Amino acid sequence: MKTVGQICTLCIYDETVPNVSFDHEGVCNYCRQIEGLEREYPTGAEGAARLQTIVDEIKAAGKGRKYDAVIGVSGGCDSSFLVHEMRQKYGLRLLAAHYDNTWNSTIATENIHNVLDALDVDLFTIVVDNKEYDDIYRSFFKAGVKDVDCPTDIGLATTLYRAAEKFGIKYMIEGHSFRTEGVAPLGWAYMDGKYIETVQKEFGTMPLKTFPNLWLKDQLRWMIFGGIKKIRPLYYIDYDKEAAKTLLAETYGWQWYGGHHLENRFTAFVHSYFFPRRWDTDFRIAGYSAYCRNGWMSREDALELMKQPPFIEDDLVDLVKKRLGFSDTEFEHLMNLPRKTYKDYRTYKKTFERLRPLFWLLYRMDLVPKSFYIKYTAK
């Protein structure tokens, strides 16, 4: 990835990053945003005390129920470590939830079952019809937008809510860490249920029947009336991802899959091929920037790594073309369509903006993550 113009003095975000700005010290607005989050969500002794208080509240809410909390699992490092930590260290009775978009890697599937079986954690899964889901992917290709994999995140969110509703669970545990992942600018990716419906109606050949879409009315019902709180424990933990990989491998036979987001075959294609080739966007810059902010990597080493092409599995592109039914010619045509964005389609974005005061209140009540409030309700 080529950098253009000014580069942040703390991370490696440059002028190619959407909506970036730099202050008089040469620090980008995203680093300042992370600093604000670090003040709000401390680690160390204070973070441990806060997390223990949250755990106590989770256990109190789960009293008399089968489960204390529902936790999303993908077979990746963050979610696997979090299942281990919340079960082994804090003794929570967890229900794991997984959205199977039928593109899982074998490693991811094995990781999920190895960790959950060893910890005696039940699994709730929603499996979408593979033909229907592949049709959704084809639709997003034809729409000319960047957000081809947004149905995966939406599907997981709905799966978590449905699991919580079914078992009367009041807490949802998520594996995101702004310290290791950063906060992706809105211009990099957008997702909502209305967006998926609109794109599928215009370009798809199949109706949405098995896909667990997240309609706003359901989202608000689960948050406001269901009172299902979203908790991100990694915000309060001094999380060493490399140490976590070692622990998981030694304890559960967990396997590394090559990089962040690469545990799913289609998601791996998106990050290692589609974003860089179609959009000149390399999401590794977010992870490397996070490592620079934390002092785990020098800016010089990060910039050198960015000069190397992303790792891509052999035959992965051919697999995507074959499964989605694209000939080489059609695939190249789709990869070179005029670029469009979510703004070219109907979405909930304007509604989110109008409901900004409500979502601020929901964020303060831990019913919606602050990252959602920051990115999706801003004009």
Side-chain angles (χ1 to χ4, degrees):
M1 177 179 176
K2 295 182 179 179
T3 56
V4 178
Q6 187 172 2
I7 303 176
C8 177
T9 55
L10 291 183
C11 72
I12 60 171
Y13 276 8
D14 57 40
E15 291 180 351
T16 65
V17 174
N19 303 306
V20 73
S21 61
F22 304 91
D23 63 19
H24 66 283
E25 295 180 338
V27 178
C28 75
N29 53 310
Y30 294 108
C31 279
R32 296 305 188 199
Q33 187 179 105
I34 294 294
E35 290 173 354
L37 288 170
E38 287 176 337
R39 290 190 293 270
E40 185 171 352
Y41 302 99
T43 57
E46 184 180 353
R50 289 195 188 183
L51 181 54
Q52 185 61 59
T53 298
I54 293 171
V55 168
D56 292 341
E57 292 171 354
I58 292 174
K59 288 182 176 179
K63 191 173 182 179
R65 303 178 188 274
K66 186 175 183 180
Y67 305 108
D68 295 315
V70 60
I71 183 169
V73 293
S74 65
C77 179
D78 298 342
S79 63
S80 298
F81 172 76
L82 206 50
V83 172
H84 164 86
E85 191 79 350
M86 294 295 100
R87 180 68 174 148
Q88 288 288 80
K89 182 175 181 179
Y90 292 97
L92 289 179
R93 296 168 301 140
L94 301 172
L95 173 64
H98 177 64
Y99 169 59
D100 186 352
N101 68 0
T102 71
W103 284 79
N104 280 348
S105 67
T106 301
I107 289 177
T109 301
E110 291 177 351
N111 284 345
I112 290 172
H113 290 290
N114 287 344
V115 173
L116 298 186
D117 290 348
L119 291 171
D120 194 26
V121 173
D122 293 337
L123 178 63
F124 175 92
T125 304
I126 290 180
V127 184
V128 70
D129 177 80
N130 65 310
K131 293 181 180 179
E132 178 184 332
Y133 200 66
D134 289 352
D135 195 58
I136 297 172
Y137 275 155
R138 284 192 291 270
S139 297
F140 270 86
F141 265 102
K142 294 173 183 178
V145 295
K146 178 182 289 186
D147 317 297
V148 291
D149 202 27
C150 79
T152 297
D153 291 311
I154 291 293
L156 174 58
T158 307
T159 299
L160 285 162
Y161 275 122
R162 287 186 183 178
E165 182 177 49
K166 180 175 181 178
F167 293 95
I169 299 170
K170 295 300 181 182
Y171 282 85
M172 186 182 299
I173 294 175
E174 297 181 325
H176 180 267
S177 169
F178 62 84
R179 290 182 176 88
T180 60
E181 299 178 41
V183 176
L186 178 60
W188 274 353
Y190 180 84
M191 64 188 79
D192 74 40
K194 175 61 69 175
Y195 185 24
I196 295 171
E197 178 194 43
T198 303
V199 168
Q200 183 63 10
K201 278 188 175 180
E202 183 167 346
F203 299 99
T205 63
M206 300 177 68
L208 298 178
K209 287 187 176 180
T210 68
F211 172 67
N213 205 7
L214 185 57
W215 307 109
L216 183 57
K217 61 179 178 61
D218 291 329
Q219 184 178 3
L220 292 174
R221 174 173 60 84
W222 282 320
M223 288 189 298
I224 298 173
F225 299 107
I228 302 170
K229 293 189 175 184
K230 290 193 171 187
I231 304 299
R232 293 178 168 181
L234 293 180
Y235 280 18
Y236 303 99
I237 295 174
D238 289 310
Y239 179 44
D240 184 335
K241 193 161 187 172
E242 297 308 312
K245 292 178 190 176
T246 301
L247 180 149
L248 292 169
E250 293 177 350
T251 309
Y252 305 106
W254 181 92
Q255 301 175 69
W256 179 233
Y257 36 85
H260 189 50
H261 294 307
L262 303 189
E263 64 267 37
N264 183 274
R265 305 304 301 282
F266 190 82
T267 305
F269 160 79
V270 170
H271 282 263
S272 61
Y273 186 90
F274 181 77
F275 282 149
R277 301 291 182 90
R278 171 84 162 108
W279 295 91
D280 302 315
T281 299
D282 190 336
F283 270 61
R284 293 179 304 167
I285 194 174
Y288 291 154
S289 288
Y291 274 48
C292 290
R293 293 187 195 103
N294 293 322
W296 300 336
M297 179 183 292
S298 70
R299 292 173 67 254
E300 292 73 23
D301 287 345
L303 290 169
E304 283 300 314
L305 286 170
M306 288 298 296
K307 293 178 182 178
Q308 302 173 15
F311 168 79
I312 184 167
E313 300 173 57
D314 293 337
D315 303 322
L316 181 58
V317 176
D318 289 336
L319 168 68
V320 171
K321 288 191 286 189
K322 181 178 180 180
R323 178 159 169 179
L324 297 186
F326 293 146
S327 65
D328 291 342
T329 301
E330 184 178 10
F331 181 76
E332 288 304 314
H333 169 71
L334 294 171
M335 288 288 289
N336 290 282
L337 285 175
R339 293 180 177 181
K340 292 186 176 181
T341 74
Y342 68 92
K343 296 178 182 179
D344 294 300
Y345 300 95
R346 292 180 61 201
T347 70
Y348 287 134
K349 184 64 173 67
K350 293 296 182 182
T351 303
F352 290 151
E353 292 173 11
R354 288 194 296 269
L355 295 177
R356 183 175 174 84
L358 172 62
F359 281 108
W360 180 86
L361 181 61
L362 295 174
Y363 138 65
R364 296 296 296 173
M365 298 171 65
D366 289 326
L367 297 174
V368 66
K370 186 173 185 179
S371 57
F372 177 93
Y373 169 72
I374 291 174
K375 291 192 295 183
Y376 284 82
T377 68
K379 292 184 179 181

